[in-house]
């Protein structure tokens, strides 16, 4: 993987989905996730569908390797429902997808909407075990043969039937969340997983659908005293007893399930003190953490708030060891972003397979890639050669395998030739969901209804 020695030159590889402007709400991609070996890539959309792409075998064998994916399976994961007790519509939108590690020929994944989690089995099956061909009295399609045309005796042969991909629900985990599910995370033991909503986190066993254990509950006795909500939660990648969850107050709590059945007392609290001189009406909104991801090594943790990324060392709670501004130039636009509700957008983030790079989204179809290191004293990391602003644009499809041109946003009134003004940014083109291949320099970026795949230079 580039990053340890050579610098990555990102190129367009593929774009999935229609490139027409007329897009329905149901087609908007709501989550993206590679499986553990990167052979499969799954997307969920607002229409409740899951589309799985498989790495093209020929592209993987050629030199240099190409990151090309073809549709492997498409299925309807969730349907719209109605809660008659609360008179609420339950959207079919897929909030999260998480892959289980592969144990046999089949693949398993968890998908969730606001209320119900489903375990899906995706496998190759044959319509019939065997297919008989070469009948004497009828054609293979079943139509009778004209006896006058039968001139010789044929011996029917038995052949294997063609395989097809089938997705079937194996477990349905329902009726455990009062509020909308925002996170699901598999434990390293591959037997249990957690699901989190605004106020509670539940622990499930993959084999038991009618019982879950409440491990975090921050709901106050009087809802008028509610000051924060849970925004994201994730298990530690190697320690099965540890998990973290973030809040709308900008804090992250590390909990140890060995300490108590109900983890109402955290083991560690990660919080950066607020600068009182910088406080404004929007401070609490932009400090809310929209996503938290533990590094593959398990030593670091990344959090995304509205304006930036922070990297924390699990052994140091007082402040982040690295801070990366994503779109600091929007600080002067917070008032208009509040009026059009963009300030409440939930951007996700992801690690590269070697934990040396970070990726997250922005507006105008832009996404940011940061090279780690060089942040002395745990301060803000300034612009460096490895830090990129790239664009997931439809015109990239007209330049296949061409290096992506870095984009720049003008932060002053004097705009350079290759810069775009902050006032010209399109806030409808938002990159909320991204994913990084676990072993190679291949990334997937969801832009409205399109899935862009970029890779290191061919």
């Amino acid at each position: 993987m580039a990053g340890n020695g050579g610098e990555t030159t990102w190129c367009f590889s593929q774009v999935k989905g229609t490139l027409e402007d007329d897009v329905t709400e149901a087609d908007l991609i709501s989550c993206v996730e590679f499986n553990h070996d990167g052979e499969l890539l799954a997307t969920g959309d607002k229409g409740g569908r899951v589309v799985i792409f498989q790495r093209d075998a020929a592209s993987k064998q050629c030199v240099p390797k190409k990151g090309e994916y073809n549709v492997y399976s498409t299925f309807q994961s969730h349907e719209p429902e109605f809660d008659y007790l609360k008179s609420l519509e339950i959207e079919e939108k897929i909030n999260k997808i998480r892959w289980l590690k592969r144990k046999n020929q089949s693949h398993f994944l968890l998908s969730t909407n606001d209320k119900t989690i489903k375990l899906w089995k995706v496998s190759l099956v044959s319509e019939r075990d065997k297919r008989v061909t070469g009948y004497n009295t009828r054609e293979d399609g079943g139509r009778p043969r004209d006896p006058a045309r039968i001139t010789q005796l044929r011996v029917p042969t038995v052949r294997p039937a063609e395989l097809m991909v089938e997705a079937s629900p194996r477990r349905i985990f329902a009726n455990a969340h009062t509020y909308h599910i925002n996170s699901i995370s598999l434990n390293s033991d591959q037997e249990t997983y957690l699901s989190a909503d605004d106020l509670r986190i539940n622990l499930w066993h993959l084999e038991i659908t009618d019982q879950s254990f409440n491990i975090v509950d921050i709901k106050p006795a009087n809802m008028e005293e509610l000051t924060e909500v849970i925004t994201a939660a994730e298990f530690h990648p190697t320690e099965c007893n540890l998990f973290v969850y973030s809040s709308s107050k900008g804090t992250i709590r590390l909990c140890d399930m060995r300490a108590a059945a109900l983890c109402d007392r955290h083991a560690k609290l990660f919080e950066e003190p607020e600068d009182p001189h910088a406080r404004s009406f929007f401070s609490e909104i932009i400090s809310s953490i929209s996503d938290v991801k533990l590094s593959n090594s398990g030593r670091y943790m990344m959090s995304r708030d509205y304006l930036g990324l922070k990297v924390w060392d699990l052994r140091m709670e007082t402040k982040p060891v690295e801070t990366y501004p994503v779109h600091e130039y929007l600080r002067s636009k917070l008032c208009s972003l509040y009026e059009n509700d963009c300030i409440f957008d939930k951007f996700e983030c992801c690690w590269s397979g070697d934990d040396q790079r970070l990726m997250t989204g922005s507006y105008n179809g832009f996404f940011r890639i940061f090279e780690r290191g060089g942040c002395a004293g745990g301060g803000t990391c300034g612009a460096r050669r490895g830090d990129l602003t790239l664009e997931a644009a439809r015109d990239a499809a007209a330049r296949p395998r061409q290096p992506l041109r870095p984009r720049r946003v003008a932060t002053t009134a004097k705009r350079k030739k290759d810069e775009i003004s902050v006032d010209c940014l399109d806030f409808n083109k938002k990159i909320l969901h991204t994913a990084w291949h676990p072993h190679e320099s291949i990334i997937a970026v969801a832009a409205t209804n399109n899935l862009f795949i970029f890779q290191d230079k061919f």
Side-chain angles (χ1 to χ4, degrees):
M1 172 179 284
N4 292 332
E7 184 178 333
T8 302
T9 301
W10 292 103
C11 299
F12 169 83
S13 178
Q14 286 178 297
V15 60
K16 304 294 185 180
T18 176
L19 296 175
E20 298 175 3
D21 292 327
D22 188 18
V23 179
T24 62
E25 182 82 7
D27 293 330
L28 300 181
I29 297 174
S30 54
C31 57
V32 184
E33 187 80 5
F34 279 102
N35 74 337
H36 292 277
D37 60 9
E39 289 299 301
L40 298 179
L41 172 62
T43 65
D45 62 25
K46 288 193 173 182
R49 295 179 296 266
V50 171
V51 181
I52 301 175
F53 301 92
Q54 184 182 43
R55 182 84 175 268
D56 182 73
S59 73
K60 190 171 62 171
Q61 298 299 326
C62 66
V63 180
K65 291 182 179 180
K66 297 179 182 179
E68 294 183 356
Y69 287 77
N70 301 318
V71 174
Y72 182 65
S73 177
T74 302
F75 58 93
Q76 188 73 30
S77 174
H78 288 71
E79 301 279 358
E81 300 175 48
F82 190 80
D83 187 333
Y84 292 96
L85 291 176
K86 297 180 180 178
S87 297
L88 289 175
E89 289 185 4
I90 302 172
E91 289 185 339
E92 64 270 36
K93 172 194 165 191
I94 307 297
N95 292 338
K96 296 289 178 184
I97 291 174
R98 291 291 180 264
W99 289 94
L100 279 67
K101 286 186 178 178
R102 195 175 185 184
K103 296 179 180 178
N104 51 40
Q105 291 299 310
S106 300
H107 297 274
F108 290 87
L109 63 85
L110 287 169
S111 64
T112 183
N113 66 351
D114 287 339
K115 298 290 183 181
T116 305
I117 306 161
K118 295 183 180 181
L119 174 65
W120 290 89
K121 177 183 179 181
V122 182
S123 56
L124 287 169
V125 297
S126 58
E127 297 182 63
R128 297 182 301 273
D129 290 335
K130 300 240 179 341
R131 185 164 57 95
V132 181
T133 61
Y135 288 103
N136 287 285
T137 58
R138 60 185 173 88
E139 304 289 351
D140 291 341
R143 188 164 50 88
R145 295 181 69 191
D146 183 359
R149 293 175 177 267
I150 302 175
T151 59
Q152 60 182 6
L153 182 66
R154 295 193 297 183
V155 178
T157 57
V158 179
R159 297 180 181 179
E162 292 184 5
L163 296 177
M164 59 178 289
V165 181
E166 180 183 75
S168 55
R170 309 300 291 177
R171 305 277 188 278
I172 297 178
F173 308 88
N175 305 319
H177 285 277
T178 306
Y179 307 96
H180 291 177
I181 298 171
N182 55 48
S183 301
I184 52 175
S185 177
L186 274 154
N187 200 340
S188 58
D189 62 13
Q190 292 292 303
E191 293 182 356
T192 57
Y193 74 93
L194 64 76
S195 59
D197 64 24
D198 292 343
L199 298 179
R200 295 187 179 96
I201 300 177
N202 293 332
L203 178 68
W204 299 84
H205 193 285
L206 287 167
E207 299 294 330
I208 303 171
T209 60
D210 59 354
Q211 185 182 47
S212 65
F213 297 95
N214 181 223
I215 53 176
V216 172
D217 189 345
I218 65 169
K219 183 180 179 181
N222 182 2
M223 284 295 281
E224 292 181 359
E225 298 172 1
L226 182 67
T227 59
E228 63 180 334
V229 295
I230 298 168
T231 56
E234 187 176 61
F235 266 120
H236 192 279
T238 57
E239 303 293 332
C240 62
N241 53 288
L242 299 178
F243 68 93
V244 297
Y245 69 93
S246 58
S247 84
S248 56
K249 272 194 166 182
T251 62
I252 306 171
R253 292 173 173 85
L254 173 71
C255 298
D256 190 339
M257 292 191 293
R258 295 173 301 185
L262 183 65
C263 300
D264 50 359
R265 293 184 181 180
H266 51 266
K268 288 188 176 183
L269 175 67
F270 299 86
E271 183 177 18
E272 186 175 28
E274 183 185 12
D275 181 2
H277 301 290
R279 182 161 182 81
S280 69
F281 171 78
F282 305 108
S283 294
E284 193 168 316
I285 301 174
I286 63 175
S287 66
S288 175
I289 295 174
S290 57
D291 195 19
V292 60
K293 292 282 172 58
L294 286 149
S295 65
N296 297 292
S297 66
R299 176 175 174 180
Y300 297 100
M301 174 174 59
M302 169 171 48
S303 63
R304 172 70 206 262
D305 56 38
Y306 187 68
L307 293 179
L309 279 175
K310 294 174 183 175
V311 175
W312 304 79
D313 190 324
L314 291 189
R315 297 174 296 186
M316 189 172 81
E317 308 163 60
T318 53
K319 63 178 181 179
V321 292
E322 300 162 23
T323 302
Y324 300 90
V326 175
H327 40 217
E328 187 64 26
Y329 46 79
L330 293 181
R331 192 175 288 274
S332 61
K333 302 288 183 181
L334 292 178
C335 188
S336 57
L337 291 167
Y338 178 79
E339 291 174 354
N340 64 16
D341 284 343
C342 283
I343 201 170
F344 301 106
D345 286 334
K346 307 299 182 187
F347 292 95
E348 295 177 6
C349 53
C350 62
W351 295 88
S352 64
D354 59 4
D355 293 340
Q356 294 304 306
R357 288 170 291 175
L358 322 170
M359 179 168 61
T360 191
S362 183
Y363 293 104
N364 205 64
F366 293 167
F367 60 97
R368 303 294 313 274
I369 295 178
F370 299 99
E371 196 90 28
R372 292 189 62 203
C375 305
T380 300
C381 301
R384 288 159 302 155
R385 190 177 178 186
D387 297 347
L388 297 171
T389 300
L390 302 174
E391 184 179 7
R394 294 177 180 179
D395 59 4
R399 303 189 306 274
R401 298 173 176 78
Q402 293 299 310
L404 296 180
R405 187 181 60 181
R407 306 305 303 265
R408 293 177 178 84
V409 178
T411 55
T412 61
K414 293 182 178 180
R415 182 170 63 89
K416 296 179 182 178
K417 184 179 179 181
D418 60 342
E419 291 182 334
I420 182 172
S421 170
V422 176
D423 297 322
C424 296
L425 296 176
D426 188 344
F427 292 101
N428 291 317
K429 294 180 179 178
K430 53 191 78 172
I431 305 295
L432 301 178
H433 315 287
T434 59
W436 202 303
H437 190 287
H439 308 300
E440 299 179 39
S441 292
I442 300 172
I443 55 176
V445 177
T448 59
N449 68 309
N450 296 125
L451 179 70
F452 288 85
I453 298 175
F454 304 100
Q455 72 162 88
D456 197 358
K457 190 170 177 14
F458 294 87

